[in-house]
Amino acid sequence: MAIKYNKCPRCGSLNVIKIIYGMQTHDAFLMTEEGKIKLGSCCITDSEPEYYCKDCENEWGRQISIDKAYNEIIRIKTSVGGYFGGYFEVDIDYENRKLKWSHLCAGAEDYYEKTIRQNTLYKFIDELKMLNLLDWKSKYIEPDVCDGTQWSLEIIKSGRNIKKYGDNKFPDEWDDFCRLIRNVSGNVFS
Ligand SMILES: [Zn+2]
């Protein structure tokens, strides 16, 4: 699931139009009259809102949609590994700031749990935004390899889970994601 910019972050409405800047043409005027677009006022800066909600008159830009989507996450579970080296799993529960790390190999489990600091968690969430976690595809499969590395990611939001996985194929940000998980867990994850 990618981020839905055209959903109102305040009321959840999809009755949303784009705000267009610097377009004073006749067509733009007609589209405005029909309520298809909203014309923004003159100055264009990075913080100008891009979307307008016709239900509650809220205006917002993409960064607000991104922040809202990442703030809805309450827990992240991820695993990586293969048949021979076993699987590493990390489960980060935002609400009580508990991190569980485990390694499962040939029936034996190595396991620990720790509490992470609020600041560490905020930094972690910021890093996930940089890694475009929510924009990853739901599966990455390399069909011609039968063993090798499998990974999974579960993003838990209130009321909804998003699952992504891969088999010998990875998102571009995968290595940086593993590095981040190693940093926050203080243990092996690769
Ligand atoms: Zn709204």
Side-chain angles (χ1 to χ4, degrees):
M1 185 222 67
I3 295 164
K4 254 194 154 157
Y5 298 107
N6 62 345
K7 181 177 176 183
C8 176
R10 187 160 75 194
C11 75
S13 171
L14 290 168
N15 190 11
V16 166
I17 52 176
K18 282 211 82 169
I19 301 172
I20 305 292
Y21 293 93
M23 211 168 93
Q24 303 298 336
T25 64
H26 186 62
D27 281 353
F29 174 75
L30 287 179
M31 282 170 81
T32 308
E33 286 290 286
E34 290 166 17
K36 286 181 184 159
I37 58 168
K38 183 178 188 318
L39 284 182
S41 46
C42 65
C43 324
I44 301 169
T45 67
D46 283 348
S47 58
E48 295 290 355
E50 283 179 73
Y51 300 92
Y52 172 80
C53 173
K54 289 165 110 178
D55 287 340
C56 76
E57 301 185 344
N58 184 26
E59 295 184 354
W60 68 96
R62 286 177 163 241
Q63 193 57 47
I64 288 175
S65 299
I66 293 170
D67 290 345
K68 181 167 194 287
Y70 282 87
N71 286 338
E72 281 169 357
I73 300 172
I74 54 174
R75 188 171 180 178
I76 292 225
K77 288 194 223 178
T78 183
S79 75
V80 66
Y83 181 75
F84 293 106
Y87 292 88
F88 296 97
E89 280 181 16
V90 171
D91 176 346
I92 301 170
D93 185 338
Y94 289 16
E95 284 176 316
N96 51 25
R97 289 186 282 120
K98 280 270 184 288
L99 181 146
K100 286 180 207 160
W101 176 96
S102 61
H103 179 222
L104 262 155
C105 192
E109 190 184 17
D110 198 5
Y111 169 94
Y112 74 80
E113 202 177 296
K114 68 172 186 178
T115 303
I116 48 175
R117 293 157 74 171
Q118 189 64 55
N119 268 347
T120 308
L121 188 59
Y122 287 147
K123 267 192 216 151
F124 177 73
I125 295 167
D126 268 350
E127 295 276 348
L128 294 183
K129 285 182 204 171
M130 302 292 289
L131 298 172
N132 302 311
L133 201 75
L134 288 170
D135 292 317
W136 291 4
K137 291 185 286 183
S138 56
K139 50 183 165 179
Y140 293 77
I141 307 285
E142 177 59 57
D144 297 329
V145 186
C146 35
D147 249 322
T149 307
Q150 285 88 46
W151 62 269
S152 74
L153 171 67
E154 193 174 350
I155 300 164
I156 299 154
K157 295 180 159 198
S158 38
R160 202 153 56 95
N161 292 8
I162 301 159
K163 285 182 185 167
K164 299 172 192 287
Y165 68 93
D167 201 340
N168 294 297
K169 205 173 172 186
F170 310 88
D172 293 341
E173 300 87 351
W174 180 253
D175 288 343
D176 289 330
F177 176 73
C178 288
R179 198 171 303 129
L180 173 65
I181 296 293
R182 282 196 293 274
N183 282 341
V184 75
S185 69
N187 214 322
V188 184
F189 188 85
S190 61

